[in-house]
Amino acid sequence: MSDPRILTVRPKEGEYAWTFGGAAPVARIEPGTFLDVYTEDCFAGRVRSEKDLVSAVCEFPFLNPQTGPFHVVGAEPGDTVAVHFVSIEPARDWAASTTVPLFGALTSTHTTASLQAPLPEVVWMWQLDRARRTCLFSARDSDIQVELPMDPMHGTVGVAPANLEVRSALVPDAHGGNMDTPEMRAGVTCYLGVNVEGALLSLGDGHARQGEGETCGVAVECAMNTVVLVELLKGVATPWPRIESDTHLISTGSARPLEDAFRISQLDLVQWLARDYGFSELDAYQLISQAGEAPLANVCDTNYTCVAKIRKNWLPAGDPHRGLHRHLRETAALLPTP
């Protein structure tokens, strides 16, 4: 085997992207390239203590910095970029979470207005034990502490949108973006439909862990050292971001209201089974209705994100996305351990 192509990217302050679309690529990469990247947390590293309120240390709309974009050579509209997450490792021993006024699932928002005061702005600092793989929650209003298992993931991964659109890195949609699903962990492959030449792939928003729904709107936010393997699937369209793990097929849908995000993800999974496993759409609809899972990703962002997933071992023989996940898994296993 020839030496793998590895591009290491450690952005400096001022070198992050804040949108999908509208940003010049930081590099051109050939399909089959490993990206070894550093991503900053959603606060750009500025929330470092309980005294660092987001409203004081961050400047809207400069939230959720992305590493990239990367121009994938040969990617054209109608193709699919595959992003295999080889490893996702917190870059620091601490992480931050917070409530943000008029943001989150259990508060009034700008789009769900009501006559009540916003929730107070409170910061929780989480201590990460990277050796033991734990995240320590310390309550603000008591001496309660709870140790949770670490489950690193990326809240945001995506490509440039279609139709010349430029979207904030806070927004999830058909291009990917800020989907905030815990399914985006090491070992999975994310499939993204290409909308512009080169795809313009970016990622960021690392979470040491996150509950389904991301109820308060903010996870255990931390900087990450992440390795991904990027591949290109020519002539295969992916209308909404899909994730494949060793055990599940996973479709996403992002929209408001929440039931539309649910419908998008369910329909995409139906169509995925019809395309790659030989089901009729009605048979796939029936099987997913009885065998599918539907965890929430986020119910707080500008668009909500739902997930539809089904176990592979309940499906007949198939070749999802031409067996690319299996190939990328095998290729990633050959990468030398640092």
Side-chain angles (χ1 to χ4, degrees):
M1 176 184 174
S2 59
D3 291 338
R5 289 188 295 268
I6 303 174
L7 176 63
T8 300
V9 178
R10 300 288 185 267
K12 299 176 183 177
E13 187 174 357
E15 294 181 342
Y16 293 96
W18 305 94
T19 62
F20 287 89
V26 299
R28 292 169 63 91
I29 62 170
E30 294 286 342
T33 298
F34 287 92
L35 292 176
D36 178 357
V37 300
Y38 173 87
T39 65
E40 190 48 273
D41 67 35
C42 70
F43 310 117
R46 293 174 183 154
V47 177
R48 293 174 170 266
S49 75
E50 294 176 351
K51 297 179 180 179
D52 292 329
L53 301 184
V54 173
S55 60
V57 300
C58 296
E59 180 185 359
F60 187 83
F62 297 104
L63 294 165
N64 210 15
Q66 301 298 300
T67 299
F70 298 95
H71 178 114
V72 181
V73 174
E76 301 172 300
D79 297 339
T80 291
V81 164
V83 183
H84 181 72
F85 287 86
V86 180
S87 61
I88 307 173
E89 293 296 328
R92 296 190 282 245
D93 291 326
W94 55 268
S97 191
T98 180
T99 49
V100 177
L102 298 177
F103 182 66
L106 299 184
T107 180
S108 300
T109 71
H110 295 290
T111 54
T112 307
S114 63
L115 189 62
Q116 58 182 263
L119 291 178
E121 193 170 0
V122 179
V123 174
W124 291 263
M125 298 305 298
W126 289 67
Q127 299 306 309
L128 308 181
D129 189 325
R130 291 183 283 180
R132 295 178 57 244
R133 314 298 292 172
T134 59
C135 308
L136 182 64
F137 166 71
S138 297
R140 288 293 305 268
D141 298 325
S142 70
D143 59 1
I144 294 173
Q145 291 189 321
V146 179
E147 193 172 64
L148 300 175
M150 191 180 290
D151 188 10
M153 52 161 283
H154 273 278
T156 307
V157 57
V159 294
N163 303 320
L164 302 178
E165 285 192 358
V166 176
R167 304 299 296 273
S168 164
L170 295 170
V171 178
D173 211 312
H175 67 283
N178 194 30
M179 296 176 285
D180 284 322
T181 170
E183 306 287 352
M184 203 75 72
R185 55 174 61 92
V188 309
T189 301
C190 177
Y191 301 107
L192 298 161
V194 177
N195 302 303
V196 303
E197 182 182 354
L200 300 182
L201 168 71
S202 300
L203 71 159
D205 192 25
H207 300 169
R209 68 167 293 118
Q210 179 209 300
E212 292 175 358
E214 198 182 20
T215 306
C216 81
V218 183
V220 183
E221 309 282 346
C222 66
M224 289 291 183
N225 291 315
T226 293
V227 176
V228 297
L229 173 56
V230 181
E231 193 49 89
L232 179 62
L233 196 57
K234 294 292 294 181
V236 174
T238 301
W240 284 87
R242 293 173 177 171
I243 303 168
E244 183 177 354
S245 72
D246 293 343
T247 59
H248 286 78
L249 301 181
I250 304 163
S251 289
T252 71
S254 298
R256 282 201 185 200
L258 183 59
E259 56 262 36
D260 281 352
F262 176 86
R263 290 183 180 112
I264 290 168
S265 63
Q266 295 285 320
L267 174 61
D268 187 75
L269 189 57
V270 165
Q271 294 176 336
W272 193 358
L273 294 193
R275 188 190 73 183
D276 288 353
Y277 285 86
F279 288 94
S280 70
E281 288 195 349
L282 279 180
D283 280 340
Y285 185 27
Q286 174 61 206
L287 180 62
I288 290 167
S289 294
Q290 315 313 332
E293 303 167 59
L296 295 174
N298 90 80
V299 191
C300 53
D301 288 336
T302 48
N303 285 330
Y304 302 148
T305 302
C306 282
V307 161
K309 57 190 290 193
I310 192 167
R311 296 176 185 273
K312 287 180 176 179
N313 62 7
W314 291 351
L315 299 175
D319 198 25
H321 287 276
R322 298 177 183 168
L324 192 53
H325 170 74
R326 181 177 62 254
H327 167 72
L328 295 176
R329 201 81 157 102
E330 293 169 352
T331 302
L334 299 175
L335 188 67
T337 303

